[in-house]
Coordinates of all heavy atoms in Angstrom, one line a residue:
V1 N 65.8 56.2 44.8 CA 66.2 56.7 46.2 C 67.3 57.7 46.2 O 67.3 58.6 47.1 CB 66.7 55.4 47.0 CG1 67.2 55.7 48.4 CG2 65.5 54.5 47.2
A2 N 68.2 57.6 45.2 CA 69.3 58.7 45.2 C 68.8 60.0 45.0 O 69.3 60.9 45.5 CB 70.3 58.2 44.1
I3 N 67.7 60.1 44.2 CA 67.2 61.5 44.0 C 66.5 62.1 45.2 O 66.6 63.2 45.5 CB 66.2 61.5 42.7 CG1 67.1 61.2 41.4 CG2 65.5 62.7 42.7 CD1 66.4 61.1 40.1
L4 N 65.7 61.2 45.8 CA 65.1 61.5 47.1 C 66.3 61.9 48.1 O 66.0 62.9 48.8 CB 64.3 60.3 47.8 CG 63.1 60.1 47.1 CD1 62.6 58.6 47.6 CD2 62.1 61.1 47.4
E5 N 67.3 61.3 48.2 CA 68.5 61.6 49.1 C 69.1 62.9 48.7 O 69.4 63.7 49.6 CB 69.5 60.5 49.1 CG 68.9 59.2 49.9 CD 69.8 58.0 49.8 OE1 70.9 58.1 48.9 OE2 69.5 57.0 50.5
A6 N 69.3 63.1 47.5 CA 70.0 64.4 47.0 C 69.0 65.6 47.4 O 69.5 66.5 47.9 CB 70.1 64.3 45.5
C7 N 67.8 65.4 47.0 CA 66.8 66.6 47.5 C 66.8 66.7 49.0 O 66.8 67.9 49.3 CB 65.4 66.2 46.9 SG 65.2 66.3 45.1
A8 N 66.8 65.7 49.7 CA 66.8 65.7 51.2 C 67.9 66.4 51.7 O 67.9 67.1 52.7 CB 66.4 64.4 51.8
S9 N 69.0 66.3 51.0 CA 70.2 67.0 51.3 C 70.4 68.4 51.0 O 71.4 69.1 51.3 CB 71.5 66.2 50.7 OG 71.5 64.9 51.3
G10 N 69.3 68.9 50.3 CA 69.4 70.2 49.8 C 70.0 70.4 48.4 O 70.6 71.6 48.2
L11 N 70.1 69.5 47.6 CA 70.8 69.6 46.3 C 69.8 69.7 45.3 O 68.7 69.0 45.2 CB 71.7 68.3 46.0 CG 72.8 68.2 47.0 CD1 73.6 66.8 46.7 CD2 73.9 69.4 46.9
P12 N 69.9 70.7 44.2 CA 69.0 70.6 43.1 C 69.3 69.4 42.3 O 70.5 68.9 42.3 CB 69.4 72.0 42.5 CG 70.8 72.3 42.8 CD 71.0 71.7 44.2
V13 N 68.4 68.9 41.5 CA 68.5 67.7 40.7 C 68.4 68.0 39.2 O 67.5 68.8 39.0 CB 67.6 66.6 41.2 CG1 67.6 65.4 40.2 CG2 68.0 66.1 42.6
V14 N 69.2 67.5 38.4 CA 69.0 67.4 37.0 C 69.0 66.0 36.7 O 69.7 65.2 36.8 CB 70.2 68.0 36.2 CG1 70.0 68.0 34.7 CG2 70.5 69.5 36.7
S15 N 67.7 65.6 36.1 CA 67.4 64.3 35.8 C 66.5 64.1 34.6 O 66.1 65.1 34.1 CB 66.8 63.5 37.0 OG 66.7 62.1 36.8
T16 N 66.1 62.8 34.3 CA 65.2 62.7 33.2 C 63.8 62.5 33.6 O 63.6 62.2 34.9 CB 65.6 61.4 32.4 OG1 65.6 60.3 33.4 CG2 66.9 61.5 31.8
R17 N 62.9 62.7 32.9 CA 61.4 62.4 33.1 C 61.2 61.0 33.0 O 60.7 60.5 31.9 CB 60.6 63.3 32.1 CG 60.6 64.7 32.2 CD 59.7 65.3 31.2 NE 60.1 66.8 31.3 CZ 60.8 67.5 30.4 NH1 61.5 66.7 29.5 NH2 61.0 68.8 30.5
H18 N 61.4 60.3 34.1 CA 61.3 58.8 34.0 C 60.6 58.3 35.4 O 61.0 58.8 36.4 CB 62.6 58.3 33.8 CG 62.7 56.7 33.9 ND1 62.4 55.9 32.6 CD2 62.9 55.8 34.9 CE1 62.5 54.7 33.0 NE2 62.7 54.6 34.2
A19 N 59.8 57.4 35.2 CA 59.1 56.8 36.4 C 58.6 57.7 37.4 O 58.0 58.8 37.0 CB 59.9 55.7 36.8
G20 N 59.0 57.6 38.6 CA 58.5 58.5 39.7 C 59.3 59.7 39.9 O 59.0 60.5 40.8
I21 N 60.3 60.0 39.1 CA 61.2 61.1 39.2 C 60.4 62.4 39.2 O 60.6 63.3 39.8 CB 62.3 61.1 38.2 CG1 63.2 59.9 38.5 CG2 63.2 62.4 38.3 CD1 64.3 59.6 37.4
T22 N 59.5 62.4 38.3 CA 58.6 63.6 38.0 C 57.7 63.9 39.3 O 57.2 65.1 39.4 CB 57.7 63.5 36.8 OG1 56.8 62.3 36.9 CG2 58.4 63.4 35.6
D23 N 57.6 63.0 40.2 CA 56.8 63.2 41.3 C 57.7 63.9 42.5 O 57.3 64.6 43.4 CB 56.3 61.9 42.0 CG 55.3 61.2 41.0 OD1 54.4 62.1 40.4 OD2 55.1 60.1 41.1
V24 N 59.1 63.6 42.3 CA 60.0 64.1 43.4 C 60.6 65.4 43.0 O 60.7 66.2 43.8 CB 61.1 63.0 43.6 CG1 62.1 63.5 44.5 CG2 60.5 61.7 44.0
V25 N 61.0 65.5 41.8 CA 61.6 66.8 41.2 C 60.5 67.7 40.6 O 59.9 67.4 39.7 CB 62.7 66.5 40.2 CG1 63.3 67.8 39.7 CG2 63.7 65.6 40.7
I26 N 60.4 68.9 41.3 CA 59.5 69.9 40.7 C 60.2 70.7 39.7 O 61.0 71.5 40.0 CB 58.9 70.8 41.9 CG1 58.2 69.9 42.9 CG2 58.0 71.8 41.3 CD1 57.9 70.6 44.1
E27 N 59.8 70.5 38.5 CA 60.6 71.1 37.3 C 60.7 72.6 37.4 O 59.5 73.1 37.6 CB 60.0 70.6 36.0 CG 60.8 70.9 34.8 CD 60.4 70.1 33.6 OE1 59.5 69.3 33.7 OE2 61.0 70.4 32.5
G28 N 61.9 73.1 37.3 CA 62.0 74.5 37.4 C 62.0 75.1 38.7 O 62.3 76.3 39.0
S29 N 61.6 74.3 39.7 CA 61.6 74.7 41.1 C 62.7 74.2 42.0 O 63.6 74.8 42.6 CB 60.2 74.6 41.7 OG 60.2 75.0 43.0
S30 N 62.6 72.7 42.1 CA 63.6 72.1 42.8 C 64.7 71.4 42.0 O 65.6 70.7 42.5 CB 62.9 71.1 43.8 OG 62.3 70.0 43.0
G31 N 64.6 71.6 40.8 CA 65.5 71.0 39.8 C 65.0 71.1 38.3 O 64.0 71.8 38.0
F32 N 65.8 70.3 37.5 CA 65.5 70.4 36.0 C 65.3 68.9 35.6 O 65.9 68.1 35.9 CB 66.5 71.0 35.2 CG 66.7 72.5 35.5 CD1 67.8 72.9 36.3 CD2 65.8 73.4 35.3 CE1 68.0 74.4 36.6 CE2 65.9 74.8 35.6 CZ 67.0 75.2 36.3
L33 N 64.4 68.8 34.6 CA 63.9 67.5 34.1 C 64.1 67.7 32.5 O 63.7 68.6 32.0 CB 62.6 67.1 34.4 CG 62.4 66.8 35.9 CD1 60.9 66.5 36.1 CD2 63.2 65.7 36.4
V34 N 64.7 66.6 31.9 CA 65.0 66.6 30.4 C 64.3 65.2 30.0 O 64.2 64.3 30.8 CB 66.4 66.6 30.0 CG1 66.9 68.1 30.6 CG2 67.2 65.5 30.5
D35 N 64.1 65.0 28.7 CA 63.7 63.8 28.2 C 64.9 62.9 28.1 O 66.0 63.3 28.0 CB 63.2 64.0 26.8 CG 62.0 64.8 26.7 OD1 61.1 64.7 27.6 OD2 61.6 65.5 25.6
E36 N 64.6 61.6 28.2 CA 65.7 60.7 28.2 C 66.5 60.8 26.9 O 65.9 60.9 25.8 CB 65.0 59.3 28.3 CG 64.6 59.0 29.7 CD 64.1 57.5 29.9 OE1 64.6 56.6 29.2 OE2 63.2 57.4 30.7
G37 N 67.7 60.7 27.1 CA 68.7 60.8 25.9 C 69.0 62.3 25.5 O 69.8 62.5 24.6
D38 N 68.4 63.2 26.1 CA 68.6 64.7 25.8 C 69.8 65.2 26.5 O 69.7 66.0 27.5 CB 67.4 65.4 26.1 CG 67.5 66.8 25.7 OD1 68.4 67.3 25.1 OD2 66.4 67.6 25.7
I39 N 71.0 64.7 26.1 CA 72.2 65.1 26.8 C 72.5 66.7 26.6 O 73.2 67.3 27.5 CB 73.4 64.2 26.4 CG1 73.7 64.3 24.8 CG2 73.3 62.9 26.8 CD1 74.9 63.7 24.4
D40 N 72.1 67.3 25.7 CA 72.5 68.7 25.3 C 71.6 69.5 26.4 O 72.3 70.4 27.1 CB 72.0 69.1 23.9 CG 72.9 68.6 22.9 OD1 74.1 68.2 23.2 OD2 72.4 68.4 21.8
N41 N 70.5 69.3 26.7 CA 69.8 70.1 27.7 C 70.1 69.6 29.2 O 70.2 70.5 30.0 CB 68.3 69.9 27.5 CG 67.6 70.8 26.5 OD1 68.1 72.0 26.3 ND2 66.6 70.4 25.8
M42 N 70.5 68.4 29.3 CA 71.0 67.9 30.6 C 72.3 68.8 30.9 O 72.5 69.2 32.0 CB 71.3 66.6 30.7 CG 71.6 66.1 32.1 SD 71.6 64.3 32.3 CE 69.9 64.0 32.6
A43 N 73.1 68.8 29.9 CA 74.5 69.5 30.2 C 74.2 71.0 30.3 O 74.9 71.7 31.2 CB 75.4 69.3 29.0
E44 N 73.2 71.5 29.6 CA 73.0 73.0 29.8 C 72.4 73.3 31.3 O 72.9 74.3 31.9 CB 71.9 73.4 28.8 CG 71.4 74.9 28.9 CD 72.5 75.9 28.8 OE1 73.4 75.8 28.1 OE2 72.4 77.0 29.7
Y45 N 71.6 72.4 31.8 CA 71.0 72.7 33.1 C 72.1 72.5 34.1 O 72.2 73.2 35.1 CB 70.0 71.8 33.4 CG 68.7 72.2 32.7 CD1 67.8 71.2 32.0 CD2 68.1 73.5 32.6 CE1 66.6 71.6 31.4 CE2 67.0 73.9 32.0 CZ 66.3 73.0 31.4 OH 65.1 73.3 30.6
V46 N 73.0 71.5 34.0 CA 74.1 71.3 34.9 C 75.0 72.6 34.9 O 75.4 73.1 35.9 CB 74.9 70.0 34.6 CG1 76.2 70.0 35.4 CG2 74.0 68.8 34.8
Y47 N 75.3 73.1 33.8 CA 76.2 74.3 33.6 C 75.5 75.5 34.3 O 76.1 76.3 34.9 CB 76.4 74.5 32.1 CG 77.2 75.8 32.0 CD1 78.6 75.8 32.2 CD2 76.6 77.0 31.4 CE1 79.3 76.9 32.1 CE2 77.3 78.1 31.5 CZ 78.8 78.1 31.7 OH 79.4 79.2 31.6
R48 N 74.1 75.6 34.0 CA 73.4 76.7 34.6 C 73.5 76.7 36.2 O 73.8 77.7 36.7 CB 72.0 76.6 34.2 CG 71.2 77.9 34.6 CD 69.6 77.8 34.2 NE 69.5 77.6 32.8 CZ 68.2 77.6 32.3 NH1 67.2 77.6 33.1 NH2 68.2 77.5 31.0
L49 N 73.4 75.5 36.8 CA 73.4 75.4 38.2 C 74.9 75.6 38.7 O 75.1 76.3 39.7 CB 73.0 74.1 38.7 CG 71.4 73.8 38.4 CD1 71.1 72.3 38.9 CD2 70.7 74.7 39.4
L50 N 75.9 75.1 38.0 CA 77.3 75.3 38.3 C 77.7 76.7 38.2 O 78.5 77.3 38.9 CB 78.3 74.5 37.5 CG 78.1 73.0 37.8 CD1 78.9 72.3 36.7 CD2 78.6 72.7 39.3
S51 N 77.1 77.5 37.2 CA 77.5 78.9 37.0 C 76.8 79.8 37.8 O 77.0 81.1 37.7 CB 77.5 79.2 35.5 OG 76.1 79.1 35.1
N52 N 75.7 79.4 38.5 CA 74.8 80.2 39.2 C 74.5 79.6 40.6 O 73.5 79.0 40.9 CB 73.5 80.5 38.6 CG 72.6 81.6 39.1 OD1 72.8 82.0 40.3 ND2 71.8 82.1 38.3
P53 N 75.5 79.9 41.5 CA 75.3 79.1 42.9 C 74.1 79.6 43.7 O 73.6 79.0 44.5 CB 76.6 79.5 43.7 CG 77.3 80.4 42.8 CD 76.7 80.5 41.5
I54 N 73.7 80.9 43.4 CA 72.5 81.4 44.1 C 71.3 80.6 43.6 O 70.3 80.2 44.4 CB 72.3 82.9 43.8 CG1 73.4 83.6 44.5 CG2 70.9 83.4 44.4 CD1 73.4 85.1 44.2
L55 N 71.1 80.4 42.4 CA 70.0 79.5 41.7 C 70.1 78.2 42.4 O 69.1 77.6 42.8 CB 70.0 79.5 40.2 CG 69.0 78.6 39.5 CD1 67.6 79.1 39.9 CD2 69.3 78.5 38.0
A56 N 71.4 77.5 42.4 CA 71.5 76.2 42.8 C 71.1 76.1 44.3 O 70.3 75.1 44.7 CB 72.8 75.7 42.7
D57 N 71.4 77.1 45.1 CA 71.0 77.1 46.5 C 69.6 77.3 46.7 O 68.9 76.6 47.5 CB 71.6 78.2 47.2 CG 71.5 78.3 48.7 OD1 71.8 77.2 49.3 OD2 71.0 79.3 49.2
Q58 N 68.7 78.1 45.8 CA 67.4 78.4 46.0 C 66.6 77.1 45.7 O 65.7 76.6 46.4 CB 67.0 79.5 45.1 CG 67.4 80.8 45.6 CD 67.1 82.0 44.6 OE1 66.9 81.6 43.3 NE2 67.1 83.1 44.9
M59 N 67.1 76.4 44.6 CA 66.4 75.2 44.2 C 66.7 74.0 45.1 O 65.8 73.3 45.4 CB 67.0 74.8 42.8 CG 66.5 75.7 41.7 SD 67.1 75.1 40.1 CE 65.5 74.6 39.5
G60 N 67.9 74.0 45.7 CA 68.2 73.0 46.7 C 67.4 73.2 47.9 O 66.9 72.2 48.5
T61 N 67.1 74.5 48.3 CA 66.3 74.7 49.4 C 64.8 74.2 49.3 O 64.3 73.7 50.0 CB 66.3 76.2 49.9 OG1 67.7 76.6 50.2 CG2 65.4 76.6 51.0
K62 N 64.3 74.4 48.0 CA 63.0 74.1 47.7 C 62.9 72.6 47.6 O 61.9 72.0 48.0 CB 62.7 74.7 46.3 CG 62.3 76.3 46.5 CD 62.0 76.8 45.1 CE 61.8 78.4 45.3 NZ 61.7 78.9 44.0
A63 N 63.9 71.9 47.1 CA 64.0 70.4 47.0 C 63.9 69.8 48.4 O 63.1 68.9 48.6 CB 65.2 70.0 46.3
R64 N 64.6 70.3 49.3 CA 64.7 69.9 50.7 C 63.3 70.0 51.3 O 62.8 69.1 52.0 CB 65.7 70.4 51.5 CG 65.7 70.0 52.9 CD 66.9 70.4 53.7 NE 66.9 70.1 55.2 CZ 67.0 69.0 55.7 NH1 67.1 67.9 54.9 NH2 66.9 68.8 57.0
K65 N 62.9 71.3 51.2 CA 61.4 71.5 51.7 C 60.4 70.6 51.2 O 59.5 70.0 51.9 CB 61.1 73.0 51.5 CG 59.7 73.3 52.0 CD 59.4 74.9 51.8 CE 58.3 75.2 52.5 NZ 57.2 75.6 51.7
H66 N 60.4 70.2 49.9 CA 59.4 69.4 49.2 C 59.6 68.1 49.8 O 58.6 67.4 50.1 CB 59.6 69.4 47.7 CG 58.8 68.4 46.9 ND1 57.4 68.6 46.8 CD2 59.1 67.3 46.4 CE1 56.9 67.6 46.2 NE2 57.8 66.7 45.9
I67 N 60.8 67.5 50.0 CA 60.9 66.2 50.5 C 60.5 66.2 51.9 O 59.7 65.1 52.4 CB 62.4 65.8 50.5 CG1 62.9 65.6 48.9 CG2 62.7 64.4 51.1 CD1 62.0 64.7 48.1
M68 N 60.9 67.1 52.9 CA 60.4 67.1 54.2 C 59.0 67.1 54.3 O 58.4 66.5 55.4 CB 61.1 68.2 55.0 CG 62.7 68.2 54.8 SD 63.4 66.5 55.1 CE 63.4 66.5 56.9
E69 N 58.2 67.8 53.4 CA 56.8 67.9 53.6 C 56.1 66.8 53.0 O 54.9 66.5 53.3 CB 56.4 69.2 52.8 CG 56.8 70.5 53.5 CD 56.4 71.8 52.8 OE1 55.9 71.7 51.6 OE2 56.6 72.8 53.3
N70 N 56.6 66.0 52.1 CA 55.9 64.9 51.4 C 56.5 63.6 51.5 O 55.8 62.7 51.0 CB 55.8 65.3 49.8 CG 55.0 66.6 49.6 OD1 53.9 66.7 49.8 ND2 55.8 67.7 49.4
Y71 N 57.6 63.4 52.0 CA 58.2 62.0 52.1 C 58.8 61.6 53.4 O 59.7 60.9 53.5 CB 59.4 62.0 50.9 CG 58.9 62.1 49.4 CD1 58.7 63.3 49.0 CD2 58.4 60.9 48.8 CE1 58.2 63.4 47.6 CE2 58.0 61.0 47.6 CZ 57.8 62.3 47.0 OH 57.4 62.4 45.7
D72 N 58.0 62.0 54.4 CA 58.4 61.5 55.8 C 58.0 60.1 56.0 O 57.2 59.5 55.2 CB 57.8 62.4 56.8 CG 56.3 62.3 56.9 OD1 55.7 62.9 56.0 OD2 55.8 61.6 57.8
M73 N 58.6 59.3 56.9 CA 58.5 58.0 57.2 C 56.9 57.6 57.4 O 56.5 56.7 56.9 CB 59.3 57.4 58.3 CG 59.2 56.0 58.5 SD 59.9 55.0 57.2 CE 61.7 55.3 57.5
E74 N 56.3 58.4 58.3 CA 54.9 58.1 58.6 C 54.0 58.2 57.4 O 53.1 57.3 57.2 CB 54.5 59.1 59.7 CG 55.0 58.8 61.1 CD 54.4 59.8 62.1 OE1 53.4 60.3 62.0 OE2 55.4 60.0 63.0
S75 N 54.1 59.1 56.5 CA 53.3 59.2 55.4 C 53.7 58.1 54.4 O 52.7 57.5 53.8 CB 53.6 60.5 54.6 OG 53.2 61.6 55.3
S76 N 54.9 57.7 54.3 CA 55.3 56.6 53.4 C 54.7 55.2 53.8 O 54.1 54.5 53.1 CB 56.8 56.5 53.3 OG 57.3 57.7 52.7
I77 N 54.8 55.0 55.1 CA 54.1 53.9 55.8 C 52.6 53.9 55.5 O 52.0 52.8 55.2 CB 54.6 53.7 57.2 CG1 56.1 53.3 57.2 CG2 53.8 52.5 57.9 CD1 56.7 53.3 58.7
G78 N 52.0 54.9 55.8 CA 50.5 55.1 55.7 C 50.2 54.8 54.1 O 49.2 54.2 53.9
N79 N 50.9 55.4 53.2 CA 50.6 55.0 51.9 C 50.7 53.5 51.5 O 49.9 53.0 50.7 CB 51.5 55.9 50.9 CG 51.2 57.3 51.0 OD1 50.1 57.8 51.3 ND2 52.2 58.2 50.6
L80 N 51.8 53.0 51.9 CA 52.0 51.6 51.8 C 50.9 50.8 52.4 O 50.3 49.8 51.8 CB 53.3 51.1 52.2 CG 53.8 49.8 52.1 CD1 53.8 49.5 50.6 CD2 55.2 49.4 52.6
R81 N 50.5 51.0 53.5 CA 49.4 50.4 54.3 C 48.1 50.5 53.3 O 47.3 49.5 53.2 CB 49.1 50.9 55.6 CG 50.0 50.5 56.6 CD 49.6 50.8 58.0 NE 50.5 50.2 58.9 CZ 51.0 51.0 59.9 NH1 50.7 52.3 60.2 NH2 51.8 50.3 60.8
S82 N 47.9 51.6 52.8 CA 46.6 51.8 51.9 C 46.7 51.0 50.7 O 45.7 50.3 50.2 CB 46.5 53.3 51.6 OG 46.2 54.1 52.6
I83 N 48.0 50.9 50.1 CA 48.1 50.1 48.9 C 47.8 48.6 49.2 O 47.1 47.9 48.5 CB 49.5 50.3 48.3 CG1 49.6 51.7 47.7 CG2 49.8 49.2 47.3 CD1 51.1 52.1 47.4
V84 N 48.4 48.2 50.3 CA 48.3 46.7 50.7 C 46.8 46.5 51.0 O 46.3 45.5 50.7 CB 49.1 46.4 51.9 CG1 48.8 45.0 52.4 CG2 50.7 46.5 51.4
A85 N 46.2 47.3 51.7 CA 44.8 47.2 52.1 C 43.8 47.1 50.9 O 42.9 46.3 50.9 CB 44.3 48.3 53.0
N86 N 44.1 47.8 49.9 CA 43.3 47.8 48.7 C 43.5 46.5 47.9 O 42.7 46.3 46.8 CB 43.6 49.0 47.9 CG 42.9 50.2 48.5 OD1 41.9 50.2 49.1 ND2 43.5 51.4 48.4
C87 N 44.5 45.7 48.2 CA 44.8 44.5 47.4 C 43.9 43.3 47.8 O 43.9 42.3 47.2 CB 46.3 44.1 47.6 SG 47.5 45.2 46.8
F88 N 43.2 43.4 48.9 CA 42.4 42.3 49.4 C 41.0 42.7 49.3 O 40.4 43.6 49.2 CB 42.7 42.2 50.9 CG 44.1 41.8 51.1 CD1 45.1 42.5 51.7 CD2 44.5 40.4 50.9 CE1 46.4 42.1 51.9 CE2 45.8 40.1 51.2 CZ 46.7 40.9 51.6

């Protein structure tokens, strides 16, 4: 949820390729993803965003747009209804 909130706030994300994170963060567009335990690349991406505010702003804008287009309440409830309906 924290990653969804960060993206919705217009922040680029640096995270690991874990669980559903890869569905939320578009690698190289709305943020950067690294393998779990890869602290060197994670630090490099954080530094890249801190040292390039234009890139950070562009990625944050794309992150917000992606969340607003794909994670609204109505779509989420519809997806949940479909999942529940397929259980019976």
